[in-house]
């Protein structure tokens, strides 16, 4: 091997060493980059987990708020419906009481009217009975008076008329 070859070999060796150094430096740099990337990925993963947890908490809180609002709305609606139903029930009860009171008032009025008509009819019947009794008494009195007069007339007629025998004698033709 000659000097040139030796130099040449030394050049290759130096070049090889240099390339090996560059490769080694590149590998070290790559390892550092990989390590930095791993750290950054771990940090990003941690930040993503923190952000995901924060979003989950935010969404959970928002869901709780919405649920609470929905429950409050449902409670308010239930109370409003109950109030509405209570108001209408009261109105219906009041209307029912008015109808019953009106019906009772009418019934009382009709009963009072019927009782008054009954009392008036009873008064009319008693008055008519009294009138009829008075007429009967008057007629009985007239009858008694008429019978008495007829007796008087009969007595007078008896006094004026001859007896039956004398009347028969007077009516019989005489034989003379």
């Amino acid at each position: 091997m000659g000097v040139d070859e030796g130099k040449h070999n030394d050049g290759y060796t130096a070049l090889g060493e240099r390339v090996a150094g560059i490769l080694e430096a590149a590998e070290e740099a790559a390892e550092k980059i990989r390590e930095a990337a791993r750290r950054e990925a771990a940090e990003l993963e941690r930040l993503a987990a923190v952000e995901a947890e924060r979003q989950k908490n935010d969404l959970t809180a928002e869901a709780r708020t919405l649920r609470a609002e929905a429950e409050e709305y449902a409670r308010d609606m239930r109370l409003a419906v109950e109030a509405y139903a209570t108001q209408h029930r009261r109105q219906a009860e009041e209307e029912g009481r008015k109808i019953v009171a009106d019906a009772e008032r009418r019934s009382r009025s009709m009963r009072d009217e019927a009782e008054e008509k009954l009392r008036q009819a009873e008064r009319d019947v008693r008055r008519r009975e009294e009138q009829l009794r008075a007429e009967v008494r008057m007629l009985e009195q007239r009858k008694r008076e008429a019978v008495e007069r007829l007796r008087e007339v009969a007595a007078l007629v008896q006094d004026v008329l001859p007896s039956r025998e004398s009347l028969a004698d007077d009516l019989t033709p005489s034989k003379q």
Side-chain angles (χ1 to χ4, degrees):
M1 279 213 250
V3 174
D4 281 335
E5 262 185 50
K7 267 182 160 185
H8 206 65
N9 266 344
D10 282 337
Y12 283 127
T13 305
L15 181 63
E17 287 177 8
R18 245 182 114 190
V19 169
I22 291 172
L23 286 175
E24 198 174 301
E27 283 181 15
E28 284 177 17
E31 188 56 38
K32 286 180 183 177
I33 291 171
R34 275 195 293 276
E35 189 57 37
R38 280 190 204 109
R39 280 194 306 273
E40 192 174 328
E43 181 63 17
L44 287 175
E45 193 175 309
R46 186 189 69 75
L47 289 174
V50 167
E51 179 62 19
E53 186 65 25
R54 185 191 63 76
Q55 285 184 353
K56 181 180 101 175
N57 290 338
D58 287 351
L59 291 173
T60 302
E62 186 177 337
R64 281 188 197 123
T65 301
L66 289 174
R67 180 179 295 136
E69 287 174 1
E71 288 172 356
E72 184 177 342
Y73 179 77
R75 185 182 65 247
D76 290 347
M77 288 305 291
R78 187 175 55 254
L79 291 174
V81 166
E82 288 172 1
Y84 181 78
T86 300
Q87 177 186 2
H88 280 280
R89 185 174 47 251
R90 283 187 194 135
Q91 287 175 345
E93 288 171 353
E94 181 62 29
E95 190 174 324
R97 281 191 291 275
K98 286 179 182 178
I99 289 170
V100 167
D102 187 46
E104 287 174 347
R105 183 182 49 75
R106 281 188 195 163
S107 173
R108 205 171 20 257
S109 173
M110 290 169 66
R111 187 180 59 241
D112 292 347
E113 208 174 290
E115 287 174 355
E116 180 56 34
K117 285 181 180 181
L118 178 63
R119 285 190 294 271
Q120 182 62 42
E122 288 172 346
R123 286 191 299 265
D124 291 347
V125 165
R126 280 193 300 274
R127 189 173 42 251
R128 183 66 182 138
E129 284 175 348
E130 289 172 11
Q131 286 174 348
L132 290 173
R133 282 189 193 114
E135 286 179 22
V136 166
R137 283 191 301 270
M138 185 184 70
L139 290 173
E140 286 176 351
Q141 180 62 34
R142 282 185 180 171
K143 176 184 156 192
R144 279 191 299 273
E145 289 172 0
V147 166
E148 187 58 38
R149 280 192 211 118
L150 284 173
R151 282 188 185 141
E152 290 173 1
V153 167
L156 287 173
V157 167
Q158 282 286 335
D159 287 344
V160 173
L161 284 179
S163 67
R164 279 195 171 160
E165 294 167 4
S166 68
L167 183 61
D169 288 344
D170 288 340
L171 292 174
T172 322
S174 51
K175 294 190 177 183
Q176 278 183 324

